[in-house]
Each structure stands twice: as structure tokens, then as C-alpha cells.
Amino acid sequence: GYKDPRRTVYFIPSEFEGIPYAGIRVSVVKPALGKEGRKYSGVRITPTDPVLWMNAAEVAFLKAEAKAVFGFNMGAGSAEDFYNEGIRLSFAQHGVSGENDYINNATDRPDSYVDPAGLNSYPTLLSQVTIKWDDAASKTVKQERILIQKWIANFNLGNEAWADHRRTGFPHFMPATDAGNKSDGAVSSTFGVRRMRYPLAEYSNNGANVNAAVSNLLKGKDSMSTRLWWDCNPAV
């Protein structure tokens, strides 16, 4: 929906006629690669690409959130300055132009998801937030706007996106389908996995400490649906 210029760097074009880029919805039963599955956009990455741990854009978005949402003193600069800096740094990182037009785009919003194979569409709009900063917006909208752009800039940093989503609920994600939820009811299709279970090796090699952690920190249940202490907003 944002017509993001970074798509050319992030993705391989799809094989669906007339559709330049087509994502495949997660937490669904995916089509076989030999048929429709191969037509979706692939990730543009090679075996020699560096593994990203943290980028400069993320630092700017962290400062924007700290200033706009929590009122922290982040030194010289407004939340809008830090937010725009995050976008510019991401565009520069990937060698993409058009950042000024993107920053000032107050029209485009995220689209609903239409599966080009007609399998797992999700017609509900997940967000109404545009790109351009709005200083008159509520703290909630400011946080959503920042975290959507942080999520885009942090492409391929899945753990960071997952942590932000659990912490704030942003960006909004599509729920799992009934068939795509493989947890046998242990995990909500709406809220998704909240943590990883301790591996069996930990129970074998470090059982006393694992059991103490499960008892004291996880309220007695080592489950993927158990929220961590900082994942404390029950609405998201």
C-alpha cells in the first residue's frame, strides 16, 4: 500500500501476471512450491550477504519512540526529526532514492491482503496509518507510525519485529488460519506465539534451574502462549 521503493531491494518479483510483488501470508497452509507456491515473491538475499544485527535506522526510530511516546530527553531534535532520519538512513543503507517523497506521503495507507492465488486473502485493513509524520496525532498513532517504519527498515530482523509486536501490538499482524495454527490449541491464532519453550536439552542438563524458572517466572507453565514480563498489554 505504501508503494515502498525498497521492495526492489528486499524482494524478487512475483511470477503472478500483472503483480510485481506478492507476499505469502504466514501461519497458513502454504501451497506446494511446484504449483502456486513458487509464484510468490522471494527474498532477495545471497549466501554472501552479511547478517544484520542492528542498523542506524533502528537507532533513529528508537529515539523517535522514546521522545514521542515516553517523553524522554533524547537531546537535540524532535520526534519527527528522528522518525524522518530513520527513513532516510534506511533508504541510504539500501541505495534507494525517493526518500523525500516517501517521507511526505500523507495519502497512501497499507492495503488489505489479497492472495493472488485466491487461497488465504485477508480483507480486513490492519492499519489506517499513512507515512507522513503528524505531530497532532495521539501517542498511540505516533507509536504505530514509528513501529511500522521501523519494521520495514528492519527487514530480515525477525526477532526485533516479534519483540516490538509483543511489546506494543504494532505492527498489526494477520492472525493464523485455523488450518495454519499447528499448536493443538496451545497458542491463540489472534495473539500468536509469545515465547519459545525451553529446549529438551535444558531440562536434561539444567533441570533444576529450568524448573525453578518455569515455576517462579512463568507461573508453572512452559508454554508458547505464556507472556514474558515485558509483554504486559493483554489487549495486544
Side-chain angles (χ1 to χ4, degrees), residues 150-162:
K150 181 184 176 186
W151 175 66
I152 295 171
N154 274 344
F155 178 69
N156 266 340
L157 283 176
N159 279 334
E160 187 70 25
W162 185 32

Side-chain angles (χ1 to χ4, degrees), residues 111-126:
D111 284 340
S112 59
Y113 177 65
V114 178
D115 190 333
L119 300 172
N120 293 293
S121 294
Y122 189 73
T124 302
L125 285 173
L126 295 176

Side-chain angles (χ1 to χ4, degrees), residues 31-140:
L33 286 175
K35 296 181 180 180
E36 297 291 345
R38 65 179 175 78
K39 295 184 179 181
Y40 296 88
S41 296
V43 178
R44 191 179 292 280
I45 191 170
T46 70
T48 58
D49 285 343
V51 176
L52 185 64
W53 184 257
M54 191 171 189
N55 57 35
E58 181 182 344
V59 176
F61 288 125
L62 287 169
K63 291 164 69 177
E65 185 184 10
K67 181 81 172 182
V69 180
F70 301 106
F72 293 165
N73 181 358
M74 302 309 299
S78 65
E80 180 177 7
D81 293 334
F82 298 137
Y83 172 80
N84 291 341
E85 180 187 25
I87 294 174
R88 289 194 176 95
L89 287 168
S90 180
F91 272 61
Q93 175 186 340
H94 296 291
V96 176
S97 61
E99 63 272 17
N100 288 331
D101 289 340
Y102 187 87
I103 286 170
N104 290 296
N105 186 337
T107 304
D108 289 330
R109 291 174 168 84
D111 284 340
S112 59
Y113 177 65
V114 178
D115 190 333
L119 300 172
N120 293 293
S121 294
Y122 189 73
T124 302
L125 285 173
L126 295 176
S127 176
Q128 293 285 346
V129 171
T130 58
I131 299 167
K132 184 177 173 62
W133 183 259
D134 179 6
D135 212 41
S138 67
K139 286 185 178 181
T140 300

